[in-house]
């Protein structure tokens, strides 16, 4: 590692990537380090890809506040991002990649292995089990600490208490469980990063998009391929559905359409998993489940 450890967090809006970075910085400062945490804002919507950054130094002043292009450590909160974004872009040789995935170390390594140490943990399962919600930020902090030792696990307790109040105990539990369950593959020099072209890199840049369409029309999912964003998807119970169409009316992506039987079906490719349809369905026919 360099004098200043640089960390990049990849998640989606609502998963807590920015909170993770802030908690890590507070913990590092509590241990006597200099630290910063800041997000990179993109489309600020639940489910949209989000990036956050940390710089941590034992004593050398941190002067840069620029986005981190060549991190020492990358943390991926959402496994769905692996296929669409090059999360390891710029990751230094000998760095550390920490991934939330249920697939296990060997499979993740075959998909995204390279010249770095790899740690894998099923943070979503841990969060669902302990927090009863798929918010994986505190579990991923546990995995990060195990793989890197960038701060001590015990030092995180106080920042968690200050941030989460009465919910701090379950967040400490999620963090500790992920610390125990994360499996780590050590760095092997000479391993090459697999060359891949990611769907988001093939999308138009914002400068190329037709802004008039984006600003004035609902349902711009086709421009943003928002189906890639979701960590949850809506499932309809036909026994409760009265085919009123309220879900379609409120869907911000205009991706719910009536099928031949009159049921309103979400298009998986464009549904971003925001959960608005489930909230607005007044018969309780829609439930959000893991994507
Ligand atoms: S709002 Fe609920 S009841 Fe109405 S069509 Fe949609 S799923 Fe069915
Ligand atoms: S179908 Fe439901 S979850 Fe999907 S984008 Fe529309 S409102 Fe959101």
């Amino acid at each position: 590692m360099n004098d200043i450890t640089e960390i990049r967090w990849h998640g989606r809006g609502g998963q807590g990537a920015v909170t993770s970075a802030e908690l890590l910085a507070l913990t590092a400062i509590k241990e006597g380090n200099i630290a910063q945490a800041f997000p990179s804002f993109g489309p600020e919507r639940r489910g949209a890809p989000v990036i956050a950054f940390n710089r941590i130094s034992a004593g050398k002043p941190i002067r840069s506040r620029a986005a981190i292009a060549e991190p020492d450590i990358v943390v991926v909160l959402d496994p769905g991002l692996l296929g669409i974004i090059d999360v390891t872009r710029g990751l230094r040789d000998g760095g550390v990649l920490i991934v939330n995935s249920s697939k296990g170390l060997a499979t993740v390594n075959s998909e995204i292995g390279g010249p770095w140490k790899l740690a894998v943990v099923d943070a979503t399962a841990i969060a669902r089990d302990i927090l009863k919600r798929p918010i994986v930020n505190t579990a991923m902090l546990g995995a990060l600490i195990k793989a890197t030792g960038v701060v001590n696990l015990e030092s995180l307790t106080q920042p968690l208490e200050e941030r989460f109040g009465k919910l701090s105990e379950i967040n400490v539990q999620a963090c500790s469980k992920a610390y125990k369950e994360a499996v780590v593959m050590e760095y092997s020099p000479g391993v090459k990063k697999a060359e891949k072209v990611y769907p988001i890199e093939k999308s138009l840049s914002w400068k190329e998009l037709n802004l008039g369409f984006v600003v004035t029309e609902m349902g711009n999912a086709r421009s943003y391929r928002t189906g890639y964003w979701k960590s949850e998807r809506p499932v309809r119970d036909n026994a409760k559905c009265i085919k009123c169409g309220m879900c379609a009316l409120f869907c911000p992506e205009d991706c719910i359409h009536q099928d031949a039987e009159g049921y309103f079906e979400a298009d998986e490719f464009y549904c971003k998993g925001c959960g608005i349809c489930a909230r607005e369905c007044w018969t309780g026919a829609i439930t959000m489940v893991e994507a």
Side-chain angles (χ1 to χ4, degrees):
M1 299 274 172
N2 301 318
D3 293 343
I4 299 175
T5 301
E6 295 186 309
I7 304 171
R8 192 171 68 211
W9 298 79
H10 290 271
R12 295 180 188 272
Q15 288 181 325
V18 178
T19 303
S20 299
E22 288 171 0
L23 285 166
L24 183 63
L26 287 169
T27 307
I29 290 166
K30 188 173 175 309
E31 290 188 344
N33 298 293
I34 300 166
Q36 63 176 210
F38 55 100
S40 162
F41 288 114
E44 294 162 47
R45 297 197 285 187
R46 194 172 189 83
V50 164
I51 301 176
F53 306 98
N54 283 118
R55 287 190 177 89
I56 299 173
S57 163
K60 187 175 175 181
I62 301 175
R63 306 214 186 275
S64 173
R65 293 200 66 86
I68 294 168
E70 295 185 343
D72 302 291
I73 300 167
V74 169
V75 190
V76 184
L77 277 67
D78 191 309
L81 293 172
L82 297 180
I84 61 167
I85 292 175
D86 184 5
V87 293
T88 61
R89 184 194 294 264
L91 177 59
R92 294 179 195 277
D93 272 23
V96 189
L97 172 65
I98 301 121
V99 178
N100 168 24
S101 175
S102 60
K103 291 183 179 172
L105 187 65
T107 306
V108 175
N109 185 50
S110 69
E111 289 175 2
I112 197 168
W116 41 74
K117 184 176 181 178
L118 174 65
V120 175
V121 67
D122 191 350
T124 304
I126 291 171
R128 283 186 186 279
D129 177 33
I130 297 177
L131 307 178
K132 311 300 178 204
R133 303 166 71 193
I135 298 182
V136 298
N137 55 356
T138 46
M140 290 307 286
L141 278 165
L144 165 77
I145 292 169
K146 179 167 184 177
T148 66
V150 66
V151 293
N152 292 302
L153 189 62
E154 302 71 37
S155 308
L156 189 58
T157 304
Q158 192 186 337
L160 286 175
E161 284 169 355
E162 285 166 4
R163 175 59 67 107
F164 295 111
K166 58 182 188 223
L167 295 178
S168 63
E169 200 179 316
I170 52 175
N171 278 285
V172 170
Q173 279 175 30
C175 183
S176 302
K177 189 165 187 202
Y179 182 90
K180 282 194 201 104
E181 292 188 2
V183 281
V184 179
M185 182 180 283
E186 293 299 329
Y187 162 58
S188 300
V191 175
K192 291 260 180 293
K193 173 181 173 175
E195 291 302 324
K196 250 167 108 174
V197 178
Y198 292 84
I200 258 182
E201 290 165 358
K202 286 190 276 184
S203 300
L204 297 175
S205 76
W206 67 270
K207 286 183 181 170
E208 295 164 304
L209 289 170
N210 178 344
L211 281 182
F213 175 77
V214 172
V215 171
T216 61
E217 297 285 336
M218 71 177 288
N220 54 47
R222 282 161 188 77
S223 302
Y224 288 121
R225 302 174 194 214
T226 43
Y228 287 121
W229 294 5
K230 62 178 171 290
S231 51
E232 293 193 313
R233 65 186 168 85
V235 172
R236 188 192 58 247
D237 178 354
N238 284 354
K240 291 184 182 169
C241 177
I242 57 167
K243 303 179 182 175
C244 66
M246 197 63 82
C247 49
L249 192 65
F250 278 91
C251 172
E253 303 302 343
D254 190 25
C255 71
I256 303 181
H257 302 287
Q258 211 165 11
D259 66 16
E261 293 175 57
Y263 289 112
F264 286 82
E265 197 66 63
D267 185 327
E268 286 283 305
F269 195 66
Y270 299 112
C271 165
K272 68 178 183 191
C274 67
I276 290 173
C277 54
R279 201 179 64 215
E280 295 301 332
C281 172
W282 53 314
T283 67
I286 302 178
T287 310
M288 300 302 291
V289 302
E290 196 171 347

